Amino acid sequence: MSDAVRPDTPGSGSPPPRPRPAPEPGPPPVNPRVYRLVVDTTYLPVLFSGMHLEVHGRENVPAPGTPLVVAANHVSSLDPFLVARALPPGRFLQFMAKKELFLPGIGDIIRAGGSFPVDRSGNDLGAVRTALRILKANGTVGIFPQGTRGGAAMQGGVALIAAKGRAPILPAGLSREGKRWIVHFGEPISPRGGIKAVTAQLAEVLGTLAVPVGQRL
């Protein structure tokens, strides 16, 4: 075989083949059985205290199979589970939870339920990327825009994630009145319009939804 037709060999001057890019990681998986077990178990304190959950605005929740960001005010440690219980069947709420919760044992259960850690001490880009992967897979991301229970400042991360994930924001107002825990879903908010404007709109809507039904004017 002449050099003119001989295949390229190492050292012949041809560039080496480019390595294939690593596949993009998928969203955190949800174990439906663990998810339901956690939601049911965390409802027991509500029942044992003689209370019950009341849900308003469930018709505002978009149908499953579409990306969605659920943004709720934060008043108690039960909040993530009450919002998850209030959602219609078909959606698994994957909360962005503070990393301090992910201890050996309990952290495994939290992960099996689909939630993922966030470092609240700074801008956790890893948590943002995880949230975007969930939205890309038409999942449901849960975030407390106040950051901490009773926090006054509304963070702009919700609007940013919703905009990048092209997902509407479903506001969820939590309140307690007498023997009732109340979850009130508002109409979805479009992520378009700018981070500051969307964050301000979300703050106003949540402020209304978080007022107990019996105390509204």
Side-chain angles (χ1 to χ4, degrees):
M1 181 181 294
S2 67
D3 290 340
V5 296
R6 182 178 294 117
D8 291 334
T9 57
S12 62
S14 298
R18 294 182 179 179
R20 294 181 179 180
E24 181 180 343
V30 178
N31 183 317
R33 291 184 178 180
V34 174
Y35 181 93
R36 182 49 53 190
L37 177 63
V38 170
V39 171
D40 289 344
T41 301
T42 52
Y43 191 57
L44 292 178
V46 177
L47 295 177
F48 291 157
S49 63
M51 300 185 68
H52 66 277
L53 177 63
E54 185 174 293
V55 183
H56 297 267
R58 192 173 273 158
E59 68 278 4
N60 291 323
V61 182
T66 58
L68 182 66
V69 175
V70 178
N73 61 306
H74 202 3
V75 295
S76 79
S77 58
L78 290 175
D79 295 345
F81 315 108
L82 293 176
V83 177
R85 190 175 188 86
L87 285 173
R91 281 196 179 274
F92 295 104
L93 185 59
Q94 297 183 252
F95 254 99
M96 183 183 288
K98 60 181 181 180
K99 68 175 185 178
E100 291 81 3
L101 294 175
F102 290 80
L103 301 172
I106 186 65
D108 295 334
I109 297 176
I110 296 174
R111 289 183 187 277
S115 292
F116 56 100
V118 59
D119 185 349
R120 298 182 302 175
S121 64
N123 295 323
D124 191 340
L125 295 181
V128 172
R129 294 189 186 101
T130 299
L132 293 177
R133 290 199 297 270
I134 293 173
L135 296 176
K136 186 177 180 180
N138 291 325
T140 308
V141 174
I143 305 176
F144 293 118
Q146 295 168 300
T148 59
R149 275 180 278 175
M154 187 72 63
Q155 307 298 322
V158 174
L160 175 65
I161 289 172
K164 287 185 173 295
R166 299 180 180 180
I169 302 170
L170 180 71
L174 283 143
S175 61
R176 180 175 176 176
E177 186 176 30
K179 292 293 185 178
R180 300 178 298 167
W181 276 105
I182 303 170
V183 175
H184 195 159
F185 295 115
E187 295 183 2
I189 297 173
S190 170
R192 300 176 181 177
I195 304 301
K196 289 185 178 180
V198 172
T199 301
Q201 182 183 1
L202 176 61
E204 182 179 356
V205 172
L206 279 182
T208 300
L209 295 176
V211 176
V213 177
Q215 299 179 18
R216 296 180 186 176
L217 299 178

